[in-house]
Amino acid sequence: MILPSTTLASLLLLILTLFCWGSWENSQRLAFKWRFELFYYDFALGMAACILIAVFTLGSMNSQELTVSDNMMIAGYHKMAYGVAAGIVVNLAYMMLVAGISLSGMAVAFPLAFGIALIVTSVTNFIGNPQSSNALLLFSGLVLVLIAVLVDIIAYRSHVDALAAGAKGGPILDPRTKMPVRTPTAARGILISILGGIALGFFLPIVDSSRSGDNGVGPYGLAALIGAGMFFSTLIYVPFFINFPVQGEPVQVRDYFKGAKKQHFWGIFGGFVWAVGLVAFLVEGAVPPALQTAPALAAGLIQGAPIIAALWGLLAWREFKGSTQGVKMLMLGMTVLFLAGLALVSLAPVYSAK
């Protein structure tokens, strides 16, 4: 299998992960008037296609090293089970995240989900190994992230209230489509995003359990297991959300085949981009410790995706267009607080007691 062998390669893989995980969701916006439940079928197809290509090309090259098939022969069965479980868990998280985006937008759903996920992951790791992080830095950072999440909620609710007030004087038009915008329900989008974040918070610990030890699963094999867990759990999750929709009337699975080619393309493309980020993240984790990017910088890049996504939502899609100056300042404060909290959490392992 092809693995990076320099610090520069490690850094570039982390930057690629940051860009992919912070940008794939634009495809959901580009799949115009496409229900998120149906979009997710295409997302799963694109994800699976990308992982299969990576496994049978990069993961099977360089026969002097272990290939994917070689690695899977020596990997422990319980390690493989962790890999599949990681896919099932992260798929549930992303299903909720996509639902949250459809309800409240990228600038709200991403910081909420990833902020809660960061808190869950960090607390879980600290409970398991208190010596792994500086408690003062860690919990100071988590408090800032939590405040950032609360500020994001306040800003969004204020914006929704303003939309509701404005709707009394006539319909508000979407600046892109010139179609009337239905006033969103703030609480539902917030709750689904938070629930997705809780699920997402267990993804990285499960991944670490799968790849640790001498019989751990290698990066490409782990990508394949995660992809399998995601793909097959999609066949369960999507019908559930179709029958119990979070917004609008229930749709039918057969409606998927009524989608335009452009809508299918953007869904598959979004899944492909996300999977590129996953493979890059897992392959970077196989870099020898002496050549890996500095831990604090690596953690910051991996966890920085929600800020990239929020900027896409605010600047490219103008999700808070027409908001008051106070709401804009709240969103700016959310960004600063999130970055400050992320920096402290990333530095916590560097200054641990060990």
Side-chain angles (χ1 to χ4, degrees):
M1 65 182 74
I2 303 298
L3 297 174
S5 57
T6 65
T7 302
L8 177 60
S10 169
L11 177 61
L12 292 176
L13 286 172
L14 289 171
I15 293 174
L16 180 61
T17 299
L18 172 67
F19 177 78
C20 290
W21 282 0
S23 302
W24 66 267
E25 68 283 349
N26 286 299
S27 63
Q28 185 178 354
R29 291 294 193 181
L30 292 168
F32 181 61
K33 290 185 177 180
W34 192 229
R35 286 283 290 265
F36 80 88
E37 301 96 330
L38 305 178
F39 164 86
Y40 208 84
Y41 276 129
D42 288 322
F43 178 87
L45 287 173
M47 174 275 303
C50 177
I51 290 176
L52 286 174
I53 292 172
V55 167
F56 288 106
T57 55
L58 300 176
S60 300
M61 294 178 179
N62 192 10
S63 59
Q64 296 179 351
E65 300 288 342
L66 284 176
T67 63
V68 171
S69 57
D70 295 332
N71 173 242
M72 298 302 282
M73 290 178 64
I74 63 176
Y77 289 119
H78 65 290
K79 299 290 184 179
M80 297 183 191
Y82 277 126
V84 175
I88 294 173
V89 169
V90 76
N91 202 38
L92 177 60
Y94 270 83
M95 190 78 206
M96 290 184 177
L97 176 60
V98 170
I101 293 172
S102 71
L103 288 168
S104 55
M106 294 155 55
V108 176
F110 259 81
L112 261 61
F114 276 77
I116 296 300
L118 179 60
I119 293 172
V120 171
T121 301
S122 300
V123 172
T124 301
N125 289 339
F126 185 80
I127 292 174
N129 185 9
Q131 302 301 318
S132 63
S133 297
N134 182 292
L136 178 60
L137 288 177
L138 177 65
F139 287 99
S140 296
L142 293 181
V143 168
L144 291 179
V145 171
L146 180 59
I147 294 174
V149 168
L150 295 176
V151 170
D152 197 20
I153 292 173
I154 293 171
Y156 178 55
R157 290 188 65 90
S158 299
H159 181 58
V160 169
D161 290 343
L163 287 177
K168 296 178 181 179
I172 300 174
L173 301 182
D174 188 306
R176 295 177 294 111
T177 64
K178 306 304 180 183
M179 299 290 290
V181 176
R182 183 168 58 182
T183 304
T185 302
R188 189 176 301 171
I190 291 169
L191 177 60
I192 290 177
S193 298
I194 291 175
L195 291 175
I198 293 173
L200 186 60
F202 293 100
F203 172 60
L204 292 181
I206 298 175
V207 167
D208 290 338
S209 296
S210 179
R211 61 185 176 182
S212 62
D214 295 334
N215 63 340
V217 184
Y220 295 101
L222 183 52
L225 293 172
I226 292 174
M230 292 183 68
F231 184 82
F232 289 107
S233 63
T234 297
L235 303 179
I236 299 174
Y237 295 152
V238 173
F240 176 83
F241 279 91
I242 283 177
N243 287 288
F244 302 96
V246 298
Q247 184 181 40
E249 298 297 322
V251 295
Q252 301 295 324
V253 174
R254 62 174 177 268
D255 291 337
Y256 170 80
F257 300 100
K258 299 178 182 179
K261 292 181 180 179
K262 183 178 180 180
Q263 292 172 321
H264 290 303
F265 168 79
W266 284 119
I268 292 172
F269 181 79
F272 198 96
V273 171
W274 182 85
V276 169
L278 173 69
V279 173
F281 162 69
L282 295 175
V283 171
E284 193 280 332
V287 176
L291 299 176
Q292 287 182 342
T293 302
L297 177 58
L301 290 173
I302 292 172
Q303 300 289 351
I307 297 301
I308 301 296
L311 291 176
W312 278 115
L314 292 171
L315 303 179
W317 300 107
R318 306 179 71 185
E319 292 174 347
F320 278 70
K321 178 179 172 60
S323 60
T324 64
Q325 190 64 27
V327 170
K328 293 177 181 178
M329 293 304 296
L330 285 172
M331 292 303 294
L332 176 61
M334 180 277 295
T335 303
V336 173
L337 287 168
F338 197 103
L339 288 174
L342 178 58
L344 291 178
V345 172
S346 299
L347 288 171
V350 179
Y351 294 97
S352 62
K354 63 179 180 180

